[in-house]
């Protein structure tokens, strides 16, 4: 294994002038064209392949978003932003194993996949929603990831590159606090070291990469081999820890599922008991209701019978009264009776 490589750089819509030179640095369009493998921008690649977007939007969209925001942005006195002002940050992280080995060796493919996933997780932790794009390139000897971070316009339409670049942010904070140019530079360097340390702690150490290379550390061949062995041992320890964590999670999930199943079974028993009680109560109420309805019907029938009998008596009395009236009329008495 080797050492980590993760580099970030800012770019403007137009390349800024190099110090003490009439030439310019690369612009964001130059970087975009290299990322998307435009024919004029990838002479260093023998057989260019379309980059694979593995997070967020396509590079064209990410750079278009940065351009759109830059066109709307103003400087501190309200003028349009300079065309060479930095408006986007682009990074590259590289994996040291050859693409040919990764594509033919399942174990090396698994190691690369672990590194790629861990790197994307780290990028999201660092920049959150400002991380717009991550692409994978497999058409060079060693695989690498390009990522794009785009700052947002604030309420004053300022596009502050320090909101995404930790080194620029540290230098600006030092300047605002009254720090000298030397102190600002030191603050910048310290912030970038912290960024690399963070990447090492969250990604590289898990994947068997060292923090620095042998030349930077001035190590002998034997010391470098020993450090690589230590890095491999650390990676194996991290992998063992991950497997242990996975096993613990699986056991915890199984335990929780068992408890949930038992709780569900108990709840179902209670529900069944309540349903049974409710059914019995409903049946009892239905029976009582039917008995009450039957009693009401019998009472209605009795009342109807009594009403019929009374109507018959009234009819008989009316008939008798009619006969009586006839008899009285025959005897000439009805004229004296007022009904």
């Amino acid at each position: 294994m080797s050492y980590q490589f993760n580099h970030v750089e800012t770019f403007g819509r137009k390349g800024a002038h190099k110090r003490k030179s009439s030439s310019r640095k690369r612009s964001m369009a130059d970087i975009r064209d290299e990322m998307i493998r435009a024919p004029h921008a990838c002479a260093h690649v023998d057989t260019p392949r379309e980059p694979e977007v593995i997070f967020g939007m396509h590079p064209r969209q990410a750079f278009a978003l940065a351009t759109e925001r830059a066109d709307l942005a103003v400087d501190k006195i309200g003028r349009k932003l300079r065309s060479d002002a930095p408006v986007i940050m682009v990074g590259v992280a590289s994996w040291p194993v050859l693409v040919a080995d990764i594509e033919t060796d399942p174990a090396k493919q698994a190691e690369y996949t672990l590194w790629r996933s861990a790197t994307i997780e780290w990028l999201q932790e660092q920049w959150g929603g400002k991380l717009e794009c991550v692409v994978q390139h497999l058409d060079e000897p060693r695989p690498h990831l390009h990522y794009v971070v785009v700052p947002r316009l604030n309420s004053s339409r300022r596009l502050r590159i320090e909101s995404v670049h930790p080194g620029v942010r540290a230098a600006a904070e030092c300047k605002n606090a009254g720090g000298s140019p030397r102190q600002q530079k030191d603050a910048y360097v310290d912030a970038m070291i912290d960024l690399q340390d963070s990447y090492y702690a969250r990604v590289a150490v898990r994947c068997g990469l060292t923090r620095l290379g042998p030349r930077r550390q001035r190590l002998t061949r034997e010391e470098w081999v020993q450090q690589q062995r230590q890095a491999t041992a650390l990676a194996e320890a991290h992998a063992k820890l991950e497997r242990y964590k996975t096993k613990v999670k699986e056991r915890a999930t199984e335990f929780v599922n068992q408890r949930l199943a038992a709780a569900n079974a108990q709840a179902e028993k209670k529900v069944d008991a309540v349903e049974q009680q409710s059914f019995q109560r409903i049946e009892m109420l239905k029976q009582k209701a039917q008995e009450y309805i039957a009693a009401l019907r019998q009472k209605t029938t009795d009342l109807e019978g009594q009403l019929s009998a009374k109507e018959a008596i009234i009819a008989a009395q009316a008939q008798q009264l009619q006969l009586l009236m006839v008899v009285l009329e025959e005897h000439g008495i009805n004229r004296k009776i007022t009904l």
Side-chain angles (χ1 to χ4, degrees), residues 245-263:
K245 286 167 61 178
T246 300
K247 187 177 293 186
V248 169
K249 287 180 181 179
E250 290 175 351
R251 290 181 178 176
T253 301
E254 182 180 356
F255 175 76
V256 170
N257 289 338
Q258 289 176 350
R259 294 294 297 270
L260 284 174

Side-chain angles (χ1 to χ4, degrees), residues 120-245:
I120 294 174
E121 289 176 5
W122 178 80
L123 292 172
Q124 290 178 285
E125 289 174 2
Q126 292 295 315
W127 288 286
K130 296 173 184 176
L131 176 67
E132 300 292 350
C133 170
V134 181
V135 299
Q136 170 183 255
H137 283 127
L138 298 176
D139 52 5
E140 296 185 57
R142 288 175 173 78
H144 55 276
L145 306 176
H146 277 289
Y147 53 92
V148 179
V149 183
V150 183
R152 295 171 178 169
L153 285 169
N154 63 20
S155 58
S156 302
R157 291 171 55 199
R158 298 293 305 281
L159 195 67
R160 310 300 292 269
I161 197 65
E162 56 263 38
S163 67
V164 297
H165 194 292
V168 177
R169 179 168 57 250
E173 290 173 352
C174 180
K175 182 179 179 180
N176 293 336
S180 66
R182 178 64 185 178
Q183 290 173 324
Q184 295 171 38
K185 184 178 180 180
D186 290 343
Y188 180 98
V189 172
D190 289 343
M192 299 312 291
I193 291 175
D194 289 344
L195 185 71
Q196 294 293 339
D197 287 343
S198 171
Y199 183 73
Y200 175 74
R202 299 286 292 129
V203 180
V205 72
R206 295 169 54 190
C207 302
L209 301 177
T210 63
R211 171 68 175 80
L212 300 171
R215 188 174 300 177
R216 188 71 177 272
Q217 300 178 80
R218 297 188 177 135
L219 300 177
T220 65
R221 175 65 181 172
E222 184 179 350
E223 290 171 335
W224 173 237
V225 170
Q226 181 61 31
Q227 192 172 95
Q228 286 181 307
R229 287 175 181 168
Q230 292 175 354
T232 301
L234 277 173
E236 291 174 353
H238 274 276
K240 185 176 181 180
L241 178 61
E242 289 297 323
R243 290 194 296 271
Y244 178 74
K245 286 167 61 178

Side-chain angles (χ1 to χ4, degrees), residues 9 13 62 101 146 161 179 209 220 225 249 284 298 303 307:
E9 190 171 350
R13 289 165 291 176
D101 294 337
H146 277 289
I161 197 65
L209 301 177
T220 65
V225 170
K249 287 180 181 179
M284 182 179 66
Q298 183 61 45
L303 289 173
L307 181 59

Side-chain angles (χ1 to χ4, degrees), residues 34-37 42 44-52 99 103 136-144 146:
E34 181 183 345
M35 285 181 65
I36 65 176
R37 295 304 193 234
C42 56
H44 62 290
V45 182
D46 294 334
T47 308
R49 292 160 57 178
E50 182 72 17
E52 180 184 355
V99 172
E103 293 178 339
Q136 170 183 255
H137 283 127
L138 298 176
D139 52 5
E140 296 185 57
R142 288 175 173 78
H144 55 276
H146 277 289

